[in-house]
Structure formats: structure tokens, C-alpha cells
Amino acid sequence: MQRALAGRPVIVEAVLIRDVELPETIKTAIADKLAEEQRAQKMRFTLDRERQEAQRKQVEAEGIARYQTIVRQGLTAEYLQYKGIEATMRFAESANSKVIIVGGGRAGFPWFSRPTSRAGVRPPPVNP
């Protein structure tokens, strides 16, 4: 531009270029570079997200471990036996139960329940 205007009373301070035609190989190289940068950013984002998920899982596992430690301290053989009896009673009283025989072991005891009568009234459990 300066050579074209040399010898004329014009001072060139800036030139606005509106359109540049590049060869196809250069256009392709620029597009490939931009695509690679996008893939690299996506990979960084994915890795960051996976690291955060791993940290979340670690915090969750630590919380579960603490919970189990607290619960384990309150579990006694008597408490577990009581909860087992409660569960057996609920099962025996359900509409689908027919006959339940539970028990055994040193602390266990047999417990029997008869099926519901035709009137829908369950007879009391029989403990031989």
C-alpha cells in the first residue's frame, strides 16, 4: 500500500483488510489446529470432572466407613437377636406367610406360626 502511494501526499497509518483468500492447505491446517485445541480442552475438562468424581466417591466412602464404625459399636448379640425376632414376627404376620419355623443355634429358639384360617383371622402362634 505504501509503495503504491509513494510520492503522493498521503500518509498511511493503518490499513483495514476485509477479506483474505488463503490456499486450501493453509485453511485446512488452521481448521485442524483449532479442532485439536478444542479436543485438548475437552480432554482437560473430562479429566477434571473425573478427578472431582473420584474425590466425591472417596468422601462418600469415608462417610460410609465412619457410619459403619458408629453402628458397629452399638451392635450387640442381644440387639441383633431382638431385631431378628422383630423381623420374624413381621414376616409371620404378613398375608403371604404360611408356616414359619425359625431358630437353632445356642441363642436361637424354634418359633412356629400356623396359616390364616378361612375367615382371615390368624390363630395365635404355637410354640411347642
Side-chain angles (χ1 to χ4, degrees):
M1 180 70 94
Q2 287 179 339
R3 272 189 255 143
L5 297 174
R8 298 201 175 132
V10 176
I11 299 173
V12 178
E13 291 182 2
V15 177
L16 175 64
I17 300 175
R18 292 185 182 208
D19 191 21
V20 176
E21 281 294 318
L22 297 174
E24 280 302 314
T25 55
I26 294 178
K27 285 181 184 179
T28 304
I30 291 171
D32 290 346
K33 180 181 177 187
L34 292 173
E36 280 302 317
E37 287 176 355
Q38 288 296 316
R39 280 192 284 276
Q41 286 179 1
K42 181 180 177 184
M43 183 57 69
R44 281 191 294 275
F45 174 79
T46 301
L47 290 173
D48 288 343
R49 187 182 67 225
E50 292 300 323
R51 281 188 200 100
Q52 289 174 349
E53 179 65 13
Q55 288 174 345
R56 185 197 67 78
K57 286 182 178 182
Q58 182 178 0
V59 168
E60 180 183 16
E62 289 169 357
I64 290 170
R66 282 193 302 268
Y67 167 78
Q68 288 175 342
T69 300
I70 292 167
V71 169
R72 194 176 307 119
Q73 291 171 355
L75 294 179
T76 63
E78 293 82 16
Y79 179 74
L80 294 175
Q81 184 178 14
Y82 171 74
K83 289 307 245 179
I85 292 169
E86 272 186 345
T88 302
M89 292 294 291
R90 280 194 307 272
F91 184 66
E93 293 168 355
S94 76
N96 294 331
S97 66
K98 300 297 180 210
V99 175
I100 300 177
I101 303 171
V102 178
R106 284 190 296 181
F109 54 91
W111 187 86
F112 300 92
S113 176
R114 287 181 281 184
T116 306
S117 69
R118 290 186 195 268
V121 177
R122 183 180 299 277
V126 176
N127 192 358

